[in-house]
Amino acid sequence: MEYTQLGRSGLSVSRLVLGTMNFGPETTEADSHTIMDRALEHGINFFDTANVYGWQKGEGITEQIIGRWFAKGGQRREKTVLATKLYGGMGDWPNESLLSALNIRRAADASLKRLQTDHIDLYQMHHVDRNTPWDEIWEAFSVLRQQGKVLYFGSSNFAGWHLAQAQEAARDRHFLGLVSEQSIYNLLTRWVELEVLPAAKHYGLGVIPWSPLHGGLLGGILRKQREGGASRGLSGRSGDALKQHHDTIEAYEKFAADLGEDPAHLGLAWLLSREGVTGPIIGPRTVEQLDGSLRALEIKLDAAALARLDELFPAPGPNGDKPAPEAYAW
């Protein structure tokens, strides 16, 4: 396993992040525990979850599954860099969502109880709260740190200017502020290159891409269709995206085959090659999927391969000769 520091912090994390969103809804608790054990065997020490995962309001099903895994002992908790999130609604009563000081306090305590631990290593805001001032947010977070309940703080789904707001407000308080930003980022969705990646680089934030295979569209979906495999990811927005990008995805899968690589591993390897990326979140539903993901760490893309991927999936911006982040500059 390869390791890197999370942003400008001294925290050492694996370059693949174990996402747990499938634990409960898609993967049984027993299989989830097996996947987490295997992740530690592979040296993956960075686990990501959220209080809303499990998708039964107020239950925190996924956090509970992880908590019962920690309770098995064997230094499971000590070996894990634990990241969770707050923001989403955990109930229908006022102050059971968003980032008020009251919800921050309650949500942190509830997550700690479900996770059966005394602290969270990385506490992430699942989204920006436009109605709560940063002074209030940082005050509440500083209390959590003083209490020893949280060590580091991160964001998710923030725009570049939100990162700037957060960091400048933290600086005024002489507070460390954010150490990471978790954004959707993959070959099909490169918008973060315009503002988020430059802001993260400026402020020393590690970038953690979620949906690195765009809901499975970059995981060999057309090959799986031809082979009669499952059509996961073909409904709703994913189905519409496949129709829109069918020819590009087909060319991408051919390019992966020419390289002798699985499209999923190629997509992860591309993210690992991007400056500022700490590591993509992989969300295996089975141990076999987890084992296969490690191939991405071994793939080294040369300049020709990177150029071909840029041809297939251009950087965002109106001008091909001015790629992000200077697409609109002159």
Side-chain angles (χ1 to χ4, degrees):
M1 180 54 55
E2 298 176 7
Y3 298 92
T4 188
Q5 288 178 227
L6 182 60
R8 69 194 187 286
S9 78
L11 187 64
S12 182
V13 295
S14 52
R15 295 223 62 204
L16 291 179
V17 184
L18 181 67
T20 63
M21 191 168 64
N22 288 320
F23 294 178
E26 299 287 341
T27 305
T28 66
E29 179 162 340
D31 287 345
S32 299
H33 286 194
T34 300
I35 289 171
M36 288 187 282
D37 283 334
R38 182 65 64 88
L40 289 186
E41 290 175 12
H42 286 310
I44 297 174
N45 75 333
F46 197 8
F47 291 14
D48 177 74
T49 191
N51 59 359
V52 294
Y53 288 174
W55 312 118
Q56 295 183 30
K57 185 174 284 188
E59 296 296 321
I61 298 296
T62 303
E63 286 188 333
Q64 290 187 43
I65 289 172
I66 297 170
R68 288 188 285 270
W69 179 73
F70 284 148
K72 290 182 176 182
Q75 290 195 312
R76 286 175 170 83
R77 177 63 187 96
E78 291 78 5
K79 292 179 178 178
T80 302
V81 175
L82 174 63
T84 192
K85 311 182 197 75
L86 82 155
Y87 177 89
M90 294 296 285
D92 297 321
W93 198 247
N95 301 308
E96 291 187 297
S97 64
L98 306 179
L99 299 176
S100 69
L102 180 57
N103 187 54
I104 287 173
R105 176 180 175 176
R106 289 175 173 173
D109 286 342
S111 285
L112 289 169
K113 183 177 180 180
R114 287 189 293 266
L115 291 163
Q116 299 193 44
T117 186
D118 63 355
H119 76 282
I120 296 163
D121 298 310
L122 177 65
Y123 204 28
Q124 302 162 111
M125 295 168 278
H126 217 154
H127 202 282
V128 66
D129 183 351
R130 297 178 178 87
N131 295 316
T132 303
W134 278 110
D135 281 347
E136 178 178 348
I137 293 170
W138 285 130
E139 174 68 21
F141 281 162
S142 67
V143 170
L144 291 180
R145 177 173 284 162
Q146 290 165 8
Q147 293 173 333
K149 294 178 179 179
V150 176
L151 300 181
Y152 300 94
F153 296 95
S155 59
S156 182
N157 304 307
F158 275 34
W161 75 280
H162 295 140
L163 297 179
Q165 277 188 317
Q167 294 304 79
E168 293 303 327
R171 178 183 293 175
D172 287 344
R173 302 179 64 88
H174 304 287
F175 197 66
L176 178 64
L178 303 172
V179 298
S180 64
E181 157 62 17
Q182 189 177 131
S183 292
I184 185 171
Y185 187 24
N186 56 58
L187 282 163
L188 274 169
T189 306
R190 297 179 59 172
W191 292 106
V192 295
E193 294 176 11
L194 281 171
E195 296 286 350
V196 174
L197 291 190
K201 180 179 179 180
H202 176 78
Y203 287 107
L205 276 60
V207 175
I208 306 168
W210 63 265
S211 194
L213 301 179
H214 205 73
L217 296 187
L218 296 169
I221 191 69
L222 297 179
R223 182 196 65 201
K224 292 174 183 177
Q225 280 185 315
R226 290 192 296 270
E227 295 173 352
S231 59
R232 180 176 179 268
L234 294 182
S235 61
R237 287 182 296 176
S238 294
D240 293 339
L242 179 59
K243 293 176 183 177
Q244 179 183 356
H245 301 288
H246 183 280
D247 291 347
T248 299
I249 292 173
E250 187 171 46
Y252 170 70
E253 291 191 13
K254 181 181 183 304
F255 179 58
D258 290 343
L259 293 177
E261 300 293 348
D262 186 281
H265 304 159
L266 180 59
L268 293 174
W270 179 80
L271 283 171
L272 289 166
S273 75
R274 308 303 292 173
E275 183 183 5
V277 167
T278 298
I281 296 175
I282 56 172
R285 287 172 287 122
T286 66
V287 168
E288 291 73 22
Q289 289 179 346
L290 171 64
D291 291 343
S293 297
L294 270 72
R295 170 59 188 159
L297 295 166
E298 302 171 356
I299 300 173
K300 305 303 177 185
L301 299 173
D302 60 22
L306 292 171
R308 176 57 178 154
L309 291 171
D310 278 336
E311 289 178 8
L312 292 171
F313 306 98
N319 235 325
D321 60 341
K322 289 183 180 178
E326 304 297 338
Y328 49 82
W330 54 271

